[in-house]
Amino acid sequence: MRNIVLRFDMRCAPQCPNTPAERYRCALEMSQWADRNAVDVVGLSEHHNTTDGFLSAPLQMAGMIAALTSRVRISVSALLVPLHDPLRLAEDIALLDLVSAGRFSATCGLGYRESEYRCFGVNWERRGQIFDEKLDILLHALKGGPIVNHGHSTQINPAPVSPVYTLLMVGGNSFAAARRAARHGLYFCPAIDDPELEDAYQAACRDYGFKYGFTIPPRVPSTTFISEDPTECWRNIGEYLIYDALAYGAWRHPNRRAYAESFACNIEELKAEGKYRILTPGQALQTIRETGSLHLAPLAGGVPFDIGWDSLRLFEQKVQPHL
């Protein structure tokens, strides 16, 4: 199954020439472009308490994209459930499901930055327990029945049309995350392809009686640009890409394992590592044929949006016709 992703996290290097307002409008225009072309998913991320403008309101952004598109799926990964009121999350997700005609989904995550928990007044030490408690309320609310939240009985109305297991999945890279997904009757989307994690998830599915457990491993994720001259493109955007890699790496947590995490310290190491790629149209086409996947991130690290658009137009004109 093919999986071509257009991904936005809105992080910006200090030298980015475009204003935040311009970049958000550009991301919406690029999402409309994705809807007209052979992109399967527009992917959004969530982080808070940052200095570089990382996307902090992914559900609102998802709603804007849903209103401007009619075909492409919209995904938030990861949605940091412990930082939100679960009833309000359920209301927002229900609306997204209705407006998008079932095109929205989210991978629920625990998160790994203590500062985010502190700024929202959420207990970092109890984060696993809080995640389970809030996820349980969120799931019951999305099923449309009555729930008790903060001691009061209520239910969301209107409820979503889509089944809960198509709306939500559980992410993570630990055995606890695998068991959490099975316990709540949800698909598991680990951040890394680890056979032991998949085995732990399937064992937990048997323990909890979830007959339909399914693991969705990552497909060689990397940040990809398309250029007729990759060497020249690296000269133009390398500083933005290494900024993106170093900023993400600065959040490194001892329990975090993710394919997307780079360990490069400079542009040459970043090129060699392969997690950030600039491919010719032919190479991009070959990558899709071999892996079924391509992750386009045209605004990564604050890349000027005219260069991002060049990458997308090359996909449209020189890759897409051959798919």
Side-chain angles (χ1 to χ4, degrees):
M1 180 179 176
R2 192 185 68 194
N3 189 45
I4 297 174
V5 179
L6 184 67
R7 182 171 56 81
F8 300 108
D9 63 25
M10 308 310 293
R11 167 178 271 147
C12 262
Q15 67 269 31
C16 175
N18 314 121
T19 68
E22 290 171 336
R23 294 182 69 75
Y24 271 94
R25 288 194 293 268
C26 181
L28 294 176
E29 292 169 2
M30 287 177 169
S31 298
Q32 290 178 291
W33 171 89
D35 198 53
R36 298 190 301 268
N37 289 280
V39 174
D40 301 292
V41 182
V42 174
L44 307 172
S45 303
E46 177 187 9
H47 276 296
H48 304 269
N49 193 27
T50 69
T51 60
D52 55 16
F54 201 105
L55 177 57
S56 59
L59 296 184
Q60 287 84 345
M61 188 73 171
M64 296 175 202
I65 294 170
L68 293 171
T69 59
S70 61
R71 179 198 60 81
V72 71
R73 291 195 59 80
I74 305 158
S75 173
V76 174
S77 181
L79 179 64
L80 303 180
V81 171
L83 305 184
H84 298 271
D85 181 282
L87 177 60
R88 186 53 198 265
L89 267 187
E91 293 173 334
D92 289 344
I93 290 171
L95 179 58
L96 281 165
D97 182 55
L98 297 172
V99 170
S100 70
R103 293 183 289 126
F104 174 80
S105 64
T107 299
C108 300
L110 180 64
Y112 47 82
R113 297 179 64 231
E114 184 175 351
S115 66
E116 292 178 306
Y117 277 72
R118 299 303 183 199
C119 75
F120 280 96
V122 180
N123 190 309
W124 170 255
E125 288 73 24
R126 292 183 57 246
R127 59 192 181 277
Q129 181 182 349
I130 291 170
F131 189 9
D132 282 328
E133 292 169 354
K134 291 189 174 184
L135 184 56
D136 189 60
I137 294 171
L138 174 59
L139 289 171
H140 279 88
L142 288 173
K143 291 175 183 176
I147 62 165
V148 176
N149 192 37
H150 298 301
H152 295 276
S153 179
T154 186
Q155 67 186 88
I156 62 170
N157 187 9
V161 174
S162 299
V164 169
Y165 69 86
T166 68
L167 286 170
L168 299 180
M169 292 156 277
V170 171
N173 53 42
S174 66
F175 295 126
R179 292 190 63 82
R180 176 176 291 116
R183 184 166 62 252
H184 289 285
L186 296 174
Y187 296 156
F188 182 42
C189 295
I192 193 166
D193 189 2
D194 182 345
E196 291 186 357
L197 275 181
E198 183 167 1
D199 291 344
Y201 173 65
Q202 292 299 334
C205 286
R206 292 190 292 271
D207 291 343
Y208 291 106
F210 181 37
K211 299 179 181 179
Y212 310 104
F214 188 73
T215 305
I216 306 173
R219 296 189 188 180
V220 196
S222 62
T223 297
T224 303
F225 284 78
I226 302 174
S227 172
E228 296 280 21
D229 186 346
T231 301
E232 177 65 18
C233 193
W234 269 111
R235 281 195 288 267
N236 291 332
I237 68 172
E239 290 296 333
Y240 296 98
L241 300 187
I242 191 62
Y243 173 85
D244 191 70
L246 292 174
Y248 186 57
W251 294 345
R252 193 165 291 130
H253 185 277
N255 295 332
R256 187 180 78 183
R257 295 183 300 154
Y259 273 138
E261 182 175 4
S262 169
F263 292 89
C265 296
N266 55 56
I267 294 174
E268 290 307 313
E269 290 179 2
L270 196 66
K271 289 181 188 180
E273 187 181 50
K275 293 184 178 182
Y276 289 73
R277 303 179 299 184
I278 301 177
L279 306 178
T280 65
Q283 290 169 332
L285 181 61
Q286 186 65 24
T287 296
I288 297 170
R289 288 174 173 169
E290 290 176 354
T291 70
S293 179
L294 195 70
H295 285 233
L296 300 167
L299 301 180
V303 166
F305 53 62
D306 58 336
I307 298 178
W309 272 120
D310 289 344
S311 175
L312 298 186
R313 292 187 180 111
L314 280 173
F315 173 86
E316 178 181 359
Q317 296 165 6
K318 297 199 173 183
V319 178
Q320 181 173 267
H322 304 287
L323 295 177

